[in-house]
Amino acid sequence: MTHPARLPSLTGLRFPAALLVFVYHASLQLPSTTLFTDQTLAAHYATAAAQLGALGVTFFFVLSGFVLTWSARERDTPGAFWRRRLVKIYPNYVVAWVLAMVVFAAAYTPAGQATLNLFMLQVWVPDFFTNLSVNPPSWSLGTEAFFYAAFPLLLPLVNRIRAERLKYWIAATVAGVVATPALAYALLPDAPGVPGGWAASESQYWFAYFLPPVRLLDFALGILVARAVALGRWRDIGLGWSALLLAVSVPLASFVPYLYGQRAVTIVPIALLVAAAASADASGRGTWFAARPARWLGEVSFAFYLLHFIVITGGRTLLGRTFPTPAAIGLILAELLVATAAAAALYTWFERPITRRFSAPRRDPAAATPAPQPVH
């Protein structure tokens, strides 16, 4: 089956996923983030948004495997692939690291943690505050870096799977995701607990949520689903039903043990949604996520993802206090607009020029071909 190299609907879906992470971080009841004077309302908001950050991150991990597989170049080399990923991801990452250090992190981040964060190594240390050091959302980029390192090795293995057997590999990968929290709860100590009162210990949370080889299952699921869609071996239930199933799974995630809610409950709906959007594009039907405004927001979503927590924390620091509910809601919307504007500037004047200039050697004809957008 031949398929188009570009999937505009998947580009358009990136910003809603990043927005979920923004909504989650804006809900945190921390002195450095919260804007609500009404603590009861703030607590309700935090409860309602509790699973949204994990949902957005898992979506990006699955999407990453899918998009990289779909857009893989037949004669690509590991070195060329790693070069494109490095140029696409790391310059923005460093800018966000510097901004976070200047705005808030330098005041309390040990040099060792800051250095690990700069080199995307913070996720390899079983320590909650190291994992979320400097710019907390950046932990997922450390995990993505491991995915990118593994992708040239994984893709040939997946390509060797017979088409009729892909469904078994997909099912086994989903089972692995579901088994991860079970293993964490069964084998790792229950204390000390994760700050914030979540029902998991630091070691359990690190293993099930941060550790790159474990999260590789999410990425591998995206690879497998992309192959199934490309080979016509995927049963598409449509974008509407997939979105409805995902929407239903979010509240359900709050009624299961915490670590299951962070990944296992939403993993199948996420895969269905990604495949449905890709199938719509591949068949020529398209979706409204492929419209120009949605695509533009998707293009800037990587920069938005890296900058939004800096805006939230910096805004709270500048304002210096909490506010009545209407004003707090208005200020959160203002933070959203500021983060989007900052992301647009970073994308337009930094990310895109660097990617175009350095993603491939000038002698390589593929340099003129736009590289796939990053998936956080």
mmCIF file of all heavy atoms in Angstrom, residues 72-122:
data_model
loop_
_atom_site.group_PDB
_atom_site.id
_atom_site.type_symbol
_atom_site.label_atom_id
_atom_site.label_comp_id
_atom_site.label_asym_id
_atom_site.label_seq_id
_atom_site.Cartn_x
_atom_site.Cartn_y
_atom_site.Cartn_z
ATOM 1 N N ALA A 72 9.200 7.200 7.338
ATOM 2 C CA ALA A 72 10.552 6.648 7.219
ATOM 3 C C ALA A 72 10.991 6.604 5.760
ATOM 4 O O ALA A 72 10.218 6.266 4.863
ATOM 5 C CB ALA A 72 10.602 5.251 7.832
ATOM 6 N N ARG A 73 12.243 6.961 5.538
ATOM 7 C CA ARG A 73 12.822 6.985 4.196
ATOM 8 C C ARG A 73 13.523 5.659 3.918
ATOM 9 O O ARG A 73 14.306 5.193 4.737
ATOM 10 C CB ARG A 73 13.806 8.147 4.065
ATOM 11 C CG ARG A 73 13.189 9.497 4.428
ATOM 12 C CD ARG A 73 14.231 10.602 4.491
ATOM 13 N NE ARG A 73 13.626 11.876 4.891
ATOM 14 C CZ ARG A 73 14.300 13.014 5.006
ATOM 15 N NH1 ARG A 73 15.615 13.026 4.783
ATOM 16 N NH2 ARG A 73 13.687 14.126 5.366
ATOM 17 N N GLU A 74 13.272 5.097 2.757
ATOM 18 C CA GLU A 74 13.778 3.748 2.455
ATOM 19 C C GLU A 74 15.293 3.666 2.538
ATOM 20 O O GLU A 74 15.836 2.684 3.023
ATOM 21 C CB GLU A 74 13.305 3.316 1.067
ATOM 22 C CG GLU A 74 11.812 3.010 0.987
ATOM 23 C CD GLU A 74 11.415 2.454 -0.363
ATOM 24 O OE1 GLU A 74 12.331 2.202 -1.195
ATOM 25 O OE2 GLU A 74 10.210 2.282 -0.593
ATOM 26 N N ARG A 75 15.985 4.673 2.043
ATOM 27 C CA ARG A 75 17.452 4.624 1.999
ATOM 28 C C ARG A 75 18.078 5.447 3.123
ATOM 29 O O ARG A 75 19.259 5.804 3.048
ATOM 30 C CB ARG A 75 17.954 5.116 0.646
ATOM 31 C CG ARG A 75 17.482 4.238 -0.512
ATOM 32 C CD ARG A 75 18.072 4.704 -1.834
ATOM 33 N NE ARG A 75 17.634 3.857 -2.939
ATOM 34 C CZ ARG A 75 18.013 4.022 -4.208
ATOM 35 N NH1 ARG A 75 18.836 5.016 -4.518
ATOM 36 N NH2 ARG A 75 17.566 3.214 -5.149
ATOM 37 N N ASP A 76 17.325 5.722 4.133
ATOM 38 C CA ASP A 76 17.836 6.507 5.242
ATOM 39 C C ASP A 76 18.896 5.714 6.000
ATOM 40 O O ASP A 76 18.884 4.485 6.023
ATOM 41 C CB ASP A 76 16.695 6.871 6.188
ATOM 42 C CG ASP A 76 16.976 8.137 6.984
ATOM 43 O OD1 ASP A 76 17.993 8.795 6.705
ATOM 44 O OD2 ASP A 76 16.165 8.457 7.865
ATOM 45 N N THR A 77 19.810 6.415 6.632
ATOM 46 C CA THR A 77 20.812 5.790 7.487
ATOM 47 C C THR A 77 20.554 6.206 8.932
ATOM 48 O O THR A 77 19.954 7.267 9.181
ATOM 49 C CB THR A 77 22.227 6.219 7.081
ATOM 50 O OG1 THR A 77 22.368 7.632 7.305
ATOM 51 C CG2 THR A 77 22.496 5.903 5.613
ATOM 52 N N PRO A 78 20.990 5.403 9.894
ATOM 53 C CA PRO A 78 20.824 5.828 11.291
ATOM 54 C C PRO A 78 21.443 7.194 11.567
ATOM 55 O O PRO A 78 20.845 8.019 12.264
ATOM 56 C CB PRO A 78 21.524 4.719 12.076
ATOM 57 C CG PRO A 78 21.389 3.513 11.209
ATOM 58 C CD PRO A 78 21.527 4.025 9.810
ATOM 59 N N GLY A 79 22.624 7.449 11.000
ATOM 60 C CA GLY A 79 23.271 8.732 11.238
ATOM 61 C C GLY A 79 22.449 9.903 10.729
ATOM 62 O O GLY A 79 22.330 10.933 11.401
ATOM 63 N N ALA A 80 21.863 9.765 9.538
ATOM 64 C CA ALA A 80 21.043 10.842 8.977
ATOM 65 C C ALA A 80 19.786 11.045 9.807
ATOM 66 O O ALA A 80 19.355 12.181 10.052
ATOM 67 C CB ALA A 80 20.683 10.531 7.531
ATOM 68 N N PHE A 81 19.184 9.943 10.244
ATOM 69 C CA PHE A 81 17.978 10.044 11.076
ATOM 70 C C PHE A 81 18.289 10.740 12.394
ATOM 71 O O PHE A 81 17.572 11.665 12.813
ATOM 72 C CB PHE A 81 17.418 8.645 11.332
ATOM 73 C CG PHE A 81 16.310 8.619 12.352
ATOM 74 C CD1 PHE A 81 15.018 8.970 11.999
ATOM 75 C CD2 PHE A 81 16.570 8.266 13.668
ATOM 76 C CE1 PHE A 81 13.987 8.956 12.937
ATOM 77 C CE2 PHE A 81 15.552 8.250 14.617
ATOM 78 C CZ PHE A 81 14.262 8.595 14.242
ATOM 79 N N TRP A 82 19.369 10.319 13.057
ATOM 80 C CA TRP A 82 19.716 10.918 14.350
ATOM 81 C C TRP A 82 20.070 12.394 14.189
ATOM 82 O O TRP A 82 19.748 13.206 15.062
ATOM 83 C CB TRP A 82 20.872 10.146 14.977
ATOM 84 C CG TRP A 82 20.469 8.776 15.432
ATOM 85 C CD1 TRP A 82 19.250 8.387 15.909
ATOM 86 C CD2 TRP A 82 21.286 7.599 15.447
ATOM 87 N NE1 TRP A 82 19.251 7.051 16.214
ATOM 88 C CE2 TRP A 82 20.478 6.531 15.950
ATOM 89 C CE3 TRP A 82 22.610 7.326 15.087
ATOM 90 C CZ2 TRP A 82 20.970 5.236 16.091
ATOM 91 C CZ3 TRP A 82 23.101 6.041 15.235
ATOM 92 C CH2 TRP A 82 22.287 5.012 15.734
ATOM 93 N N ARG A 83 20.710 12.739 13.084
ATOM 94 C CA ARG A 83 21.032 14.157 12.838
ATOM 95 C C ARG A 83 19.762 14.988 12.756
ATOM 96 O O ARG A 83 19.663 16.051 13.378
ATOM 97 C CB ARG A 83 21.837 14.287 11.549
ATOM 98 C CG ARG A 83 22.133 15.726 11.136
ATOM 99 C CD ARG A 83 22.654 15.781 9.705
ATOM 100 N NE ARG A 83 22.862 17.154 9.279
ATOM 101 C CZ ARG A 83 24.042 17.736 9.107
ATOM 102 N NH1 ARG A 83 25.147 17.058 9.361
ATOM 103 N NH2 ARG A 83 24.127 18.991 8.694
ATOM 104 N N ARG A 84 18.770 14.516 11.988
ATOM 105 C CA ARG A 84 17.521 15.267 11.843
ATOM 106 C C ARG A 84 16.814 15.415 13.186
ATOM 107 O O ARG A 84 16.280 16.478 13.516
ATOM 108 C CB ARG A 84 16.591 14.584 10.840
ATOM 109 C CG ARG A 84 17.078 14.637 9.404
ATOM 110 C CD ARG A 84 15.981 14.268 8.429
ATOM 111 N NE ARG A 84 15.385 12.972 8.696
ATOM 112 C CZ ARG A 84 15.865 11.813 8.247
ATOM 113 N NH1 ARG A 84 16.999 11.800 7.526
ATOM 114 N NH2 ARG A 84 15.263 10.681 8.504
ATOM 115 N N ARG A 85 16.795 14.347 13.965
ATOM 116 C CA ARG A 85 16.128 14.424 15.268
ATOM 117 C C ARG A 85 16.845 15.384 16.207
ATOM 118 O O ARG A 85 16.217 16.159 16.937
ATOM 119 C CB ARG A 85 16.074 13.028 15.900
ATOM 120 C CG ARG A 85 15.169 12.044 15.206
ATOM 121 C CD ARG A 85 13.701 12.421 15.320
ATOM 122 N NE ARG A 85 13.272 13.302 14.243
ATOM 123 C CZ ARG A 85 12.197 14.048 14.260
ATOM 124 N NH1 ARG A 85 11.429 14.086 15.322
ATOM 125 N NH2 ARG A 85 11.877 14.809 13.239
ATOM 126 N N LEU A 86 18.164 15.325 16.205
ATOM 127 C CA LEU A 86 18.940 16.205 17.081
ATOM 128 C C LEU A 86 18.706 17.668 16.732
ATOM 129 O O LEU A 86 18.456 18.500 17.609
ATOM 130 C CB LEU A 86 20.432 15.869 16.962
ATOM 131 C CG LEU A 86 21.383 16.736 17.804
ATOM 132 C CD1 LEU A 86 21.161 16.474 19.287
ATOM 133 C CD2 LEU A 86 22.836 16.460 17.416
ATOM 134 N N VAL A 87 18.756 17.986 15.452
ATOM 135 C CA VAL A 87 18.570 19.362 15.012
ATOM 136 C C VAL A 87 17.156 19.842 15.288
ATOM 137 O O VAL A 87 16.937 21.007 15.631
ATOM 138 C CB VAL A 87 18.914 19.483 13.512
ATOM 139 C CG1 VAL A 87 18.477 20.828 12.953
ATOM 140 C CG2 VAL A 87 20.405 19.282 13.303
ATOM 141 N N LYS A 88 16.202 18.955 15.176
ATOM 142 C CA LYS A 88 14.809 19.327 15.383
ATOM 143 C C LYS A 88 14.482 19.541 16.860
ATOM 144 O O LYS A 88 13.706 20.435 17.212
ATOM 145 C CB LYS A 88 13.897 18.228 14.815
ATOM 146 C CG LYS A 88 12.451 18.632 14.680
ATOM 147 C CD LYS A 88 12.283 19.686 13.606
ATOM 148 C CE LYS A 88 10.840 20.086 13.450
ATOM 149 N NZ LYS A 88 10.682 21.166 12.467
ATOM 150 N N ILE A 89 15.050 18.738 17.725
ATOM 151 C CA ILE A 89 14.651 18.714 19.129
ATOM 152 C C ILE A 89 15.564 19.545 20.028
ATOM 153 O O ILE A 89 15.097 20.346 20.849
ATOM 154 C CB ILE A 89 14.610 17.257 19.642
ATOM 155 C CG1 ILE A 89 13.584 16.434 18.871
ATOM 156 C CG2 ILE A 89 14.318 17.220 21.136
ATOM 157 C CD1 ILE A 89 12.170 16.929 19.008
ATOM 158 N N TYR A 90 16.862 19.370 19.896
ATOM 159 C CA TYR A 90 17.756 19.856 20.942
ATOM 160 C C TYR A 90 17.896 21.380 21.020
ATOM 161 O O TYR A 90 17.967 21.922 22.125
ATOM 162 C CB TYR A 90 19.134 19.202 20.808
ATOM 163 C CG TYR A 90 19.943 19.303 22.080
ATOM 164 C CD1 TYR A 90 19.472 18.746 23.268
ATOM 165 C CD2 TYR A 90 21.152 19.982 22.103
ATOM 166 C CE1 TYR A 90 20.191 18.842 24.445
ATOM 167 C CE2 TYR A 90 21.890 20.084 23.274
ATOM 168 C CZ TYR A 90 21.397 19.513 24.441
ATOM 169 O OH TYR A 90 22.111 19.627 25.608
ATOM 170 N N PRO A 91 17.959 22.116 19.911
ATOM 171 C CA PRO A 91 18.063 23.581 20.061
ATOM 172 C C PRO A 91 16.911 24.178 20.866
ATOM 173 O O PRO A 91 17.142 25.000 21.767
ATOM 174 C CB PRO A 91 18.071 24.071 18.612
ATOM 175 C CG PRO A 91 18.661 22.941 17.840
ATOM 176 C CD PRO A 91 18.110 21.705 18.497
ATOM 177 N N ASN A 92 15.675 23.810 20.572
ATOM 178 C CA ASN A 92 14.538 24.291 21.367
ATOM 179 C C ASN A 92 14.657 23.862 22.823
ATOM 180 O O ASN A 92 14.324 24.619 23.744
ATOM 181 C CB ASN A 92 13.230 23.750 20.790
ATOM 182 C CG ASN A 92 12.657 24.651 19.710
ATOM 183 O OD1 ASN A 92 13.341 25.512 19.175
ATOM 184 N ND2 ASN A 92 11.399 24.439 19.379
ATOM 185 N N TYR A 93 15.096 22.645 23.020
ATOM 186 C CA TYR A 93 15.244 22.112 24.374
ATOM 187 C C TYR A 93 16.214 22.965 25.186
ATOM 188 O O TYR A 93 15.948 23.285 26.344
ATOM 189 C CB TYR A 93 15.731 20.663 24.288
ATOM 190 C CG TYR A 93 15.854 19.968 25.619
ATOM 191 C CD1 TYR A 93 14.797 19.219 26.125
ATOM 192 C CD2 TYR A 93 17.024 20.047 26.372
ATOM 193 C CE1 TYR A 93 14.907 18.569 27.349
ATOM 194 C CE2 TYR A 93 17.141 19.406 27.592
ATOM 195 C CZ TYR A 93 16.083 18.669 28.076
ATOM 196 O OH TYR A 93 16.189 18.031 29.286
ATOM 197 N N VAL A 94 17.338 23.336 24.575
ATOM 198 C CA VAL A 94 18.340 24.143 25.281
ATOM 199 C C VAL A 94 17.801 25.538 25.578
ATOM 200 O O VAL A 94 18.018 26.080 26.672
ATOM 201 C CB VAL A 94 19.645 24.222 24.458
ATOM 202 C CG1 VAL A 94 20.623 25.209 25.090
ATOM 203 C CG2 VAL A 94 20.297 22.842 24.356
ATOM 204 N N VAL A 95 17.076 26.132 24.623
ATOM 205 C CA VAL A 95 16.480 27.450 24.862
ATOM 206 C C VAL A 95 15.551 27.388 26.070
ATOM 207 O O VAL A 95 15.588 28.253 26.961
ATOM 208 C CB VAL A 95 15.726 27.943 23.620
ATOM 209 C CG1 VAL A 95 14.867 29.168 23.948
ATOM 210 C CG2 VAL A 95 16.700 28.285 22.504
ATOM 211 N N ALA A 96 14.694 26.361 26.115
ATOM 212 C CA ALA A 96 13.768 26.220 27.240
ATOM 213 C C ALA A 96 14.523 25.981 28.541
ATOM 214 O O ALA A 96 14.127 26.492 29.605
ATOM 215 C CB ALA A 96 12.782 25.086 26.973
ATOM 216 N N TRP A 97 15.596 25.214 28.494
ATOM 217 C CA TRP A 97 16.412 24.963 29.698
ATOM 218 C C TRP A 97 16.972 26.277 30.230
ATOM 219 O O TRP A 97 16.903 26.553 31.441
ATOM 220 C CB TRP A 97 17.539 23.996 29.351
ATOM 221 C CG TRP A 97 18.416 23.592 30.495
ATOM 222 C CD1 TRP A 97 18.242 22.525 31.326
ATOM 223 C CD2 TRP A 97 19.624 24.251 30.927
ATOM 224 N NE1 TRP A 97 19.258 22.476 32.254
ATOM 225 C CE2 TRP A 97 20.115 23.514 32.035
ATOM 226 C CE3 TRP A 97 20.326 25.367 30.492
ATOM 227 C CZ2 TRP A 97 21.289 23.880 32.701
ATOM 228 C CZ3 TRP A 97 21.489 25.736 31.162
ATOM 229 C CH2 TRP A 97 21.961 24.990 32.252
ATOM 230 N N VAL A 98 17.523 27.089 29.343
ATOM 231 C CA VAL A 98 18.098 28.368 29.764
ATOM 232 C C VAL A 98 17.018 29.267 30.356
ATOM 233 O O VAL A 98 17.204 29.879 31.418
ATOM 234 C CB VAL A 98 18.800 29.063 28.579
ATOM 235 C CG1 VAL A 98 19.206 30.487 28.950
ATOM 236 C CG2 VAL A 98 20.019 28.267 28.137
ATOM 237 N N LEU A 99 15.878 29.372 29.686
ATOM 238 C CA LEU A 99 14.789 30.225 30.179
ATOM 239 C C LEU A 99 14.312 29.759 31.554
ATOM 240 O O LEU A 99 14.078 30.584 32.449
ATOM 241 C CB LEU A 99 13.632 30.226 29.182
ATOM 242 C CG LEU A 99 13.857 31.001 27.884
ATOM 243 C CD1 LEU A 99 12.682 30.773 26.927
ATOM 244 C CD2 LEU A 99 14.056 32.486 28.158
ATOM 245 N N ALA A 100 14.144 28.444 31.715
ATOM 246 C CA ALA A 100 13.680 27.928 33.001
ATOM 247 C C ALA A 100 14.689 28.225 34.102
ATOM 248 O O ALA A 100 14.319 28.602 35.224
ATOM 249 C CB ALA A 100 13.423 26.425 32.909
ATOM 250 N N MET A 101 15.968 28.074 33.802
ATOM 251 C CA MET A 101 16.986 28.372 34.806
ATOM 252 C C MET A 101 16.951 29.850 35.190
ATOM 253 O O MET A 101 17.047 30.194 36.373
ATOM 254 C CB MET A 101 18.373 28.003 34.265
ATOM 255 C CG MET A 101 18.622 26.498 34.150
ATOM 256 S SD MET A 101 18.714 25.654 35.761
ATOM 257 C CE MET A 101 20.287 26.251 36.376
ATOM 258 N N VAL A 102 16.781 30.723 34.222
ATOM 259 C CA VAL A 102 16.780 32.160 34.492
ATOM 260 C C VAL A 102 15.528 32.572 35.254
ATOM 261 O O VAL A 102 15.588 33.346 36.212
ATOM 262 C CB VAL A 102 16.897 32.951 33.174
ATOM 263 C CG1 VAL A 102 16.641 34.437 33.406
ATOM 264 C CG2 VAL A 102 18.267 32.743 32.547
ATOM 265 N N VAL A 103 14.370 32.020 34.843
ATOM 266 C CA VAL A 103 13.098 32.469 35.416
ATOM 267 C C VAL A 103 12.884 31.934 36.826
ATOM 268 O O VAL A 103 12.404 32.647 37.707
ATOM 269 C CB VAL A 103 11.934 32.067 34.489
ATOM 270 C CG1 VAL A 103 10.577 32.373 35.141
ATOM 271 C CG2 VAL A 103 12.041 32.794 33.152
ATOM 272 N N PHE A 104 13.219 30.652 37.076
ATOM 273 C CA PHE A 104 12.930 30.105 38.405
ATOM 274 C C PHE A 104 13.851 28.993 38.869
ATOM 275 O O PHE A 104 14.108 28.864 40.062
ATOM 276 C CB PHE A 104 11.469 29.594 38.466
ATOM 277 C CG PHE A 104 11.141 28.532 37.452
ATOM 278 C CD1 PHE A 104 11.364 27.194 37.711
ATOM 279 C CD2 PHE A 104 10.578 28.876 36.236
ATOM 280 C CE1 PHE A 104 11.049 26.211 36.783
ATOM 281 C CE2 PHE A 104 10.253 27.901 35.296
ATOM 282 C CZ PHE A 104 10.494 26.571 35.569
ATOM 283 N N ALA A 105 14.384 28.163 37.991
ATOM 284 C CA ALA A 105 15.020 26.924 38.428
ATOM 285 C C ALA A 105 16.387 27.120 39.068
ATOM 286 O O ALA A 105 16.778 26.337 39.950
ATOM 287 C CB ALA A 105 15.131 25.950 37.253
ATOM 288 N N ALA A 106 17.137 28.120 38.653
ATOM 289 C CA ALA A 106 18.487 28.289 39.184
ATOM 290 C C ALA A 106 18.496 28.524 40.689
ATOM 291 O O ALA A 106 19.475 28.203 41.369
ATOM 292 C CB ALA A 106 19.183 29.449 38.480
ATOM 293 N N ALA A 107 17.401 29.049 41.217
ATOM 294 C CA ALA A 107 17.344 29.390 42.639
ATOM 295 C C ALA A 107 17.363 28.170 43.543
ATOM 296 O O ALA A 107 17.752 28.277 44.710
ATOM 297 C CB ALA A 107 16.100 30.230 42.921
ATOM 298 N N TYR A 108 16.958 27.010 43.035
ATOM 299 C CA TYR A 108 16.866 25.842 43.914
ATOM 300 C C TYR A 108 17.354 24.536 43.277
ATOM 301 O O TYR A 108 17.307 23.486 43.921
ATOM 302 C CB TYR A 108 15.418 25.646 44.376
ATOM 303 C CG TYR A 108 14.414 25.498 43.249
ATOM 304 C CD1 TYR A 108 14.241 24.285 42.596
ATOM 305 C CD2 TYR A 108 13.641 26.580 42.841
ATOM 306 C CE1 TYR A 108 13.334 24.153 41.556
ATOM 307 C CE2 TYR A 108 12.718 26.457 41.819
ATOM 308 C CZ TYR A 108 12.572 25.242 41.171
ATOM 309 O OH TYR A 108 11.675 25.121 40.144
ATOM 310 N N THR A 109 17.827 24.566 42.054
ATOM 311 C CA THR A 109 18.248 23.339 41.375
ATOM 312 C C THR A 109 19.742 23.098 41.578
ATOM 313 O O THR A 109 20.560 23.932 41.166
ATOM 314 C CB THR A 109 17.946 23.417 39.871
ATOM 315 O OG1 THR A 109 16.572 23.709 39.672
ATOM 316 C CG2 THR A 109 18.274 22.085 39.192
ATOM 317 N N PRO A 110 20.131 21.971 42.182
ATOM 318 C CA PRO A 110 21.559 21.653 42.313
ATOM 319 C C PRO A 110 22.217 21.537 40.943
ATOM 320 O O PRO A 110 21.568 21.180 39.947
ATOM 321 C CB PRO A 110 21.559 20.307 43.040
ATOM 322 C CG PRO A 110 20.225 20.237 43.727
ATOM 323 C CD PRO A 110 19.266 20.960 42.827
ATOM 324 N N ALA A 111 23.499 21.814 40.898
ATOM 325 C CA ALA A 111 24.231 21.802 39.625
ATOM 326 C C ALA A 111 24.155 20.434 38.944
ATOM 327 O O ALA A 111 24.038 20.346 37.714
ATOM 328 C CB ALA A 111 25.679 22.203 39.858
ATOM 329 N N GLY A 112 24.209 19.367 39.746
ATOM 330 C CA GLY A 112 24.146 18.036 39.162
ATOM 331 C C GLY A 112 22.831 17.774 38.461
ATOM 332 O O GLY A 112 22.799 17.227 37.348
ATOM 333 N N GLN A 113 21.726 18.149 39.105
ATOM 334 C CA GLN A 113 20.419 17.984 38.485
ATOM 335 C C GLN A 113 20.303 18.828 37.221
ATOM 336 O O GLN A 113 19.775 18.369 36.202
ATOM 337 C CB GLN A 113 19.310 18.367 39.464
ATOM 338 C CG GLN A 113 19.061 17.358 40.570
ATOM 339 C CD GLN A 113 17.866 17.744 41.418
ATOM 340 O OE1 GLN A 113 17.294 18.802 41.274
ATOM 341 N NE2 GLN A 113 17.500 16.857 42.337
ATOM 342 N N ALA A 114 20.775 20.055 37.281
ATOM 343 C CA ALA A 114 20.701 20.933 36.118
ATOM 344 C C ALA A 114 21.493 20.368 34.947
ATOM 345 O O ALA A 114 21.049 20.428 33.792
ATOM 346 C CB ALA A 114 21.209 22.328 36.477
ATOM 347 N N THR A 115 22.651 19.797 35.235
ATOM 348 C CA THR A 115 23.489 19.231 34.180
ATOM 349 C C THR A 115 22.835 17.999 33.569
ATOM 350 O O THR A 115 22.819 17.832 32.339
ATOM 351 C CB THR A 115 24.874 18.881 34.731
ATOM 352 O OG1 THR A 115 25.473 20.056 35.284
ATOM 353 C CG2 THR A 115 25.769 18.324 33.635
ATOM 354 N N LEU A 116 22.303 17.121 34.418
ATOM 355 C CA LEU A 116 21.590 15.960 33.890
ATOM 356 C C LEU A 116 20.433 16.382 32.992
ATOM 357 O O LEU A 116 20.209 15.798 31.924
ATOM 358 C CB LEU A 116 21.055 15.104 35.048
ATOM 359 C CG LEU A 116 22.074 14.277 35.827
ATOM 360 C CD1 LEU A 116 21.406 13.669 37.062
ATOM 361 C CD2 LEU A 116 22.646 13.166 34.948
ATOM 362 N N ASN A 117 19.716 17.416 33.429
ATOM 363 C CA ASN A 117 18.593 17.898 32.644
ATOM 364 C C ASN A 117 19.045 18.454 31.303
ATOM 365 O O ASN A 117 18.416 18.200 30.264
ATOM 366 C CB ASN A 117 17.840 18.963 33.443
ATOM 367 C CG ASN A 117 16.492 19.289 32.850
ATOM 368 O OD1 ASN A 117 16.415 19.916 31.795
ATOM 369 N ND2 ASN A 117 15.428 18.871 33.520
ATOM 370 N N LEU A 118 20.127 19.225 31.292
ATOM 371 C CA LEU A 118 20.625 19.810 30.056
ATOM 372 C C LEU A 118 20.931 18.742 29.016
ATOM 373 O O LEU A 118 20.697 18.939 27.819
ATOM 374 C CB LEU A 118 21.875 20.645 30.349
ATOM 375 C CG LEU A 118 22.573 21.273 29.136
ATOM 376 C CD1 LEU A 118 21.639 22.231 28.399
ATOM 377 C CD2 LEU A 118 23.852 21.986 29.571
ATOM 378 N N PHE A 119 21.444 17.592 29.463
ATOM 379 C CA PHE A 119 21.816 16.530 28.539
ATOM 380 C C PHE A 119 20.745 15.434 28.437
ATOM 381 O O PHE A 119 21.027 14.324 27.972
ATOM 382 C CB PHE A 119 23.168 15.937 28.937
ATOM 383 C CG PHE A 119 24.306 16.895 28.750
ATOM 384 C CD1 PHE A 119 24.864 17.549 29.823
ATOM 385 C CD2 PHE A 119 24.783 17.174 27.483
ATOM 386 C CE1 PHE A 119 25.906 18.458 29.657
ATOM 387 C CE2 PHE A 119 25.837 18.083 27.293
ATOM 388 C CZ PHE A 119 26.393 18.725 28.383
ATOM 389 N N MET A 120 19.522 15.747 28.866
ATOM 390 C CA MET A 120 18.374 14.848 28.722
ATOM 391 C C MET A 120 18.560 13.524 29.448
ATOM 392 O O MET A 120 18.040 12.484 29.009
ATOM 393 C CB MET A 120 18.071 14.575 27.242
ATOM 394 C CG MET A 120 17.649 15.773 26.442
ATOM 395 S SD MET A 120 17.237 15.320 24.732
ATOM 396 C CE MET A 120 16.440 16.810 24.164
ATOM 397 N N LEU A 121 19.259 13.545 30.558
ATOM 398 C CA LEU A 121 19.534 12.318 31.310
ATOM 399 C C LEU A 121 18.743 12.230 32.607
ATOM 400 O O LEU A 121 18.891 11.264 33.355
ATOM 401 C CB LEU A 121 21.031 12.225 31.620
ATOM 402 C CG LEU A 121 21.965 12.176 30.412
ATOM 403 C CD1 LEU A 121 23.417 12.235 30.855
ATOM 404 C CD2 LEU A 121 21.709 10.911 29.583
ATOM 405 N N GLN A 122 17.888 13.202 32.874
ATOM 406 C CA GLN A 122 17.192 13.252 34.158
ATOM 407 C C GLN A 122 16.253 12.077 34.381
ATOM 408 O O GLN A 122 15.971 11.701 35.522
ATOM 409 C CB GLN A 122 16.424 14.573 34.301
ATOM 410 C CG GLN A 122 15.222 14.745 33.386
ATOM 411 C CD GLN A 122 15.567 15.360 32.047
ATOM 412 O OE1 GLN A 122 16.608 15.091 31.484
ATOM 413 N NE2 GLN A 122 14.676 16.208 31.543
#
